[in-house]
Amino acid sequence: MAEVILMPRLSDTMTEGVIAAWHKNVGDNVKKGDLLAEVETDKATMELESYKDGTLLHIGSAKGGKLQVNDLLAIIGNPGEDISSLISGSSAPAPAAAPAPAATPAPAAAPAASGLDVSKMDEVVLMPRLSDTMEVGVIASWHKQVGETVKKGEVLAEIETDKATMELESYKNGTLLYQGGQPGEKVLVNALLCIIGEKGKVDVDAIVAAVKGGGAPATAATAPASAPAATAPAAAATTTSAAAPAASLNGDGRIKASPLARKLAAEKGIDLNSVPGTGDNGRITKSDIDNYSPASPAAKTAAAPATSAAPVVAVVNGQEGYTDIPNSQMRNVIAKRLGESKFSAPHFYLTMEITMDNAMAARAQLNELSPVKISFNDFVVKAAALALRQHPNVNASWMGDKIRRYSHVHIGIAVAIEDGLIVPVVRFADQKTLPQIAAESKELSGKARNKKLQPNEFTGNTFTISNLGMMDIEEFTAIINPPDSCIMAVGRIKEVVVRKGDGFGVSNVMKVTLSCDHRSVDGAGGAAFLQTFKKYLENPISMLL
């Protein structure tokens, strides 16, 4: 007998899950203990195993789809078994008619746009939630254009989130029939990203109208849908020819380019003025930078008058001016989250001075043996993790009607990148050695700067460390990084003259400032944590016991 699998509650705060991947497809045999799917929760991406044997008969949502806790996730039973009653009994009445057309190419014959449930259609690709704070995604570039064949696993598009630029792979074979946005445009999470299916067998008009609410917006959807394969290339050709002579400019003289294109151009030393844009209205995209080759000397000479005549950003003595820089996705989220933290969490600050002489000596000795170079920040991470294990009141989150104290220690390390700040997480830091922490921190920092972090690598922190010591900052205060109750600001190590015995000597000291949320952490608790942290750093051999 077929059995329904509902979306489980995989964390205590989880209300919904996003399907990160399916490891079994409809029709595949499934054994008890087999990996069925990966589900992204509000904390991490977790693997979901099957608890019974059988055949996967139905999936409640495709990859990237969102399901509420206790929504229909999958049905496992015997091949050919009638599951229509299970589907209708576990979801809204509308999808009950979906199983019958699913076996045939009948989506084109769907009745009315108002009755079309696009979330259950395999042809529809919605914008996935690629990070825990993501609300919209910016299309950095399309790797496939309307009318092109798409294979399962091929990169479909690059999506810029508030955390990173991530590649989105296709989860099915077919033809790209519709794009929900052009490079540089924003698409809301769970909004229509694209449609993949067989030409002539998918009613693109009906799908687009259903997504946009049917009725009034139908005229806007009809034009691109009537000839999707022909219209898009024609528009692209028109844009290319118009943009070819020179970079496209806004009305204020600013070059139109995606944030990713600007970043790549800066890294490669490419002048955006000389790059023709092939994106929407001549916008310069990532592919334009990748395919750009410098013009020949003759071409440069011919282009010189045009370049000199173009608006130039210059500072003229006695002339006022300014440049407006649009906020990136990441900057908007930083402003929102830290603004909420600063003005909703009552911060207080505790500063302590720590003698680092023994830590400096220990680091020098360890680096002679360690396969990975250990930094002072790695010492700070290890000491903080061990201190948190002894002071769980600091390893906590304010949950409104309760305080959640974690039994695990996940340390977030703030990393500055071009667009703002991101916090990769070293998980179970209290259980790892210094070389393990050093290797993981280096890998995560590299991924962060290249915008290659995966969602499970920058979520789930229980405590955060922000270190500006390498930039010669002696002391500063940091804003708490939700959902943490505390963040530690670490300054530089400096030499100071201190009394030693009957005379004076030089000692190396470092200042740290702990920002605490007074709703969940009291002053005495924060001070006790810092005392333990200081003990570990001033006697680093104790971290090895």
Side-chain angles (χ1 to χ4, degrees), residues 107-118 121 203 205-207 209-210 214-215:
S114 59
L116 201 62
D117 186 0
V118 296
M121 297 182 66
D203 191 343
D205 288 13
I207 294 174

Side-chain angles (χ1 to χ4, degrees), residues 75 81-91 95-97 99-100:
I75 298 177
E81 194 170 350
D82 183 10
I83 59 172
S84 56
S85 60
L86 296 177
I87 295 175
S88 60
S90 302
S91 57

Side-chain angles (χ1 to χ4, degrees), residues 196 354 426 467:
I196 299 175
I354 299 171
V426 178
N467 191 339

Side-chain angles (χ1 to χ4, degrees), residues 122-386:
D122 287 342
E123 293 81 5
V124 172
V125 180
L126 304 180
M127 173 63 78
R129 187 182 299 277
L130 298 172
S131 78
D132 57 332
T133 57
M134 177 179 171
E135 296 178 355
V136 297
V138 176
I139 300 173
S141 65
W142 284 101
H143 286 245
K144 296 290 182 179
Q145 301 301 324
V146 172
E148 291 185 357
T149 300
V150 180
K151 293 183 179 179
K152 182 178 180 181
E154 285 186 334
V155 176
L156 193 60
E158 292 187 18
I159 306 298
E160 181 183 338
T161 74
D162 56 310
K163 302 288 189 182
T165 299
M166 308 178 74
E167 293 181 341
L168 182 67
E169 296 181 356
S170 174
Y171 57 82
K172 67 168 294 179
N173 299 328
T175 301
L176 184 59
L177 304 177
Y178 177 84
Q179 293 176 338
Q182 295 303 310
E185 292 184 1
K186 295 180 179 180
V187 179
L188 292 172
V189 169
N190 289 328
L192 178 62
L193 181 61
C194 65
I195 300 174
I196 299 175
E198 294 185 50
K199 288 184 179 179
K201 295 186 178 181
V202 178
D203 191 343
V204 176
D205 288 13
I207 294 174
V208 174
V211 170
K212 295 184 177 181
T219 53
T222 302
S226 58
T231 305
T238 304
T239 304
T240 304
S241 61
S248 180
L249 303 175
N250 283 333
D252 59 0
R254 186 171 60 82
I255 297 174
K256 292 188 288 187
S258 70
L260 182 60
R262 290 181 182 277
K263 179 177 182 295
L264 291 174
E267 291 174 352
K268 296 181 178 182
I270 296 175
D271 182 5
L272 289 175
N273 286 290
S274 60
V275 181
T278 60
D280 188 28
N281 296 321
R283 184 183 180 88
I284 299 172
T285 65
K286 175 181 179 293
S287 60
D288 296 327
I289 301 298
D290 291 338
N291 298 326
Y292 173 76
S293 58
S296 63
K300 288 182 180 178
T301 305
T307 304
S308 60
V312 178
V313 178
V315 177
V316 180
N317 290 337
Q319 181 176 336
E320 296 181 351
Y322 62 86
T323 301
D324 289 333
I325 303 173
N327 290 339
S328 65
Q329 285 281 86
M330 180 177 289
R331 180 57 61 188
N332 282 331
V333 173
I334 289 172
K336 178 181 176 182
R337 284 170 58 83
L338 294 188
E340 291 172 352
S341 172
K342 180 66 176 178
F343 299 114
S344 65
H347 287 53
F348 72 90
Y349 309 96
L350 301 171
T351 301
M352 181 173 281
E353 194 171 80
I354 299 171
T355 302
M356 295 293 289
D357 293 336
N358 291 337
M360 294 177 72
R363 175 175 178 261
Q365 295 175 5
L366 287 171
N367 277 335
E368 293 179 0
L369 304 172
S370 174
V372 182
K373 185 177 180 181
I374 300 171
S375 69
F376 287 114
N377 199 62
D378 300 326
F379 273 80
V380 171
V381 171
K382 179 67 173 179
L386 293 176

Side-chain angles (χ1 to χ4, degrees), residues 432-453:
K432 294 179 178 176
T433 64
L434 282 166
Q436 287 175 328
I437 291 173
E440 191 170 337
S441 297
K442 185 175 295 184
E443 180 185 3
L444 290 172
S445 297
K447 284 185 175 183
R449 293 188 177 94
N450 293 323
K451 292 190 172 183
K452 296 297 183 182
L453 284 175

